[in-house]
Amino acid sequence: LGEGDDAESVVPIVGVGHSMGGTGCAIAEMDAARRADGAPNTDARAQERTRARAGDGVGGLFTRLVLLEPVLFDAEAAAAPWSRCADRNLLYATTRARQRRWGNREELLAYLVAKGRPYAAWDARAVEAYADSATKLATRGGRDLELRCSPEVEAPFYLHPPIVVERLREIVCPVALLVGSASRHFDLLKRIPTVQYYERHCISRMRDATLHVVDGVGHFLPQEAPERIAAHVCRALGFDEAAAACAVAAMRARM
């Protein structure tokens, strides 16, 4: 709610996030009616907003959440040595070892689509977008490129993950959770097939959640199948098939 707003002026707010972006959306929703220290939020305006949304069966911040394979750790996983220890955390280690500099754009693109790299399964347009947005010129007037976010900055994000699973009951708004059928994200992290992990540990804990398994894609759902994921998101937002098709066509025209 902005200044001067009241409960009747609440407008729909939909949170859509992939991977850690989905984690952030989930945490924001769970924290909406709480203080930063975890105590119930006693702010009158926040309580009024929460009551207004809860009256329609939704949560305190978002009207609906669309989470694309969010990283949702339980307390056991968050405390495990392979999660907290830099020398045993696979995501930390692979990120720190990632190449960060290339002689030119052509060299970068060849690196991204090389066999065995996760980018190789991405839609070509997503690879191009990544090449353009995730790098910058390394030297003024040159052609060499380097990552905008260095491995040293990114890698620590994968240590000490937030504990989310035990709090999922706090999410009141409807949640559409999309998972790639070929994803091995939690196979590696939790030693359980990824789809089963979301079914057993996440969906079962939320009040109003549906799991959508997207065939033939891995953890990078929006990068691997942008149009299919856009259609899923449109349907999760309540679009009918015709409206969803129009939205996807508009997205395709902009890519």
Side-chain angles (χ1 to χ4, degrees):
L1 291 175
E3 292 298 323
D5 292 340
D6 54 28
E8 287 70 30
S9 68
V10 173
V11 297
I13 302 175
V14 178
V16 181
H18 169 245
S19 195
M20 291 297 285
T23 309
C25 286
I27 292 174
E29 172 64 16
M30 292 186 290
D31 285 351
R34 286 179 154 209
R35 292 187 182 276
D37 63 3
N41 193 329
T42 57
D43 179 79
R45 290 176 61 78
Q47 288 185 341
E48 187 67 18
R49 177 181 63 190
T50 300
R51 284 195 295 270
R53 294 193 183 283
D56 292 327
V58 296
L61 177 62
F62 295 111
T63 308
R64 180 179 296 271
L65 284 171
V66 182
L67 306 180
L68 313 177
E69 208 158 302
V71 181
L72 304 177
F73 274 35
D74 58 17
E76 179 187 15
W82 51 261
S83 174
R84 300 180 66 87
C85 301
D87 59 345
R88 298 181 63 180
N89 185 305
L90 181 62
L91 286 175
Y92 178 90
T94 55
T95 301
R96 280 298 301 264
R98 179 180 298 153
Q99 183 172 334
R100 70 193 69 196
R101 193 161 182 165
W102 300 266
N104 52 56
R105 193 171 187 275
E106 292 72 24
E107 184 180 315
L108 166 62
L109 290 172
Y111 167 85
L112 293 175
V113 301
K115 184 177 180 180
R117 301 196 191 283
Y119 315 98
W122 289 15
D123 182 282
R125 296 164 296 183
V127 174
E128 293 273 351
Y130 180 86
D132 291 336
S133 61
T135 63
K136 63 181 179 179
L137 287 175
T139 56
R140 182 176 297 180
R143 297 186 64 205
D144 50 329
L145 300 169
E146 64 181 2
L147 291 173
R148 290 183 182 273
C149 181
S150 72
E152 291 82 6
V153 171
E154 180 183 355
F157 281 98
Y158 305 124
L159 295 175
H160 311 294
I163 298 172
V164 179
V165 167
E166 284 81 356
R167 294 185 57 199
L168 290 176
R169 186 68 181 170
E170 299 172 30
I171 297 178
V172 181
C173 69
V175 178
L177 201 158
L178 278 63
V179 182
S181 68
S183 177
R184 298 293 178 266
H185 195 61
F186 281 100
D187 298 45
L188 298 174
L189 298 179
K190 189 64 174 169
R191 311 303 194 267
I192 181 176
T194 295
V195 173
Q196 289 185 29
Y197 179 83
Y198 283 109
E199 288 176 335
R200 296 179 187 177
H201 296 277
C202 303
I203 293 294
S204 62
R205 294 175 183 260
M206 288 187 273
R207 305 185 189 194
D208 183 5
T210 54
L211 182 69
H212 304 270
V213 180
V214 184
D215 188 49
V217 298
H219 176 67
F220 295 100
L221 297 87
Q223 293 93 336
E224 293 182 29
E227 292 169 3
R228 288 169 55 199
I229 298 306
H232 272 282
V233 171
C234 288
R235 286 192 289 270
L237 297 181
F239 289 22
D240 60 30
E241 289 299 321
C246 288
V248 171
M251 183 200 76
R252 185 185 302 119
R254 291 195 297 270
M255 294 182 72

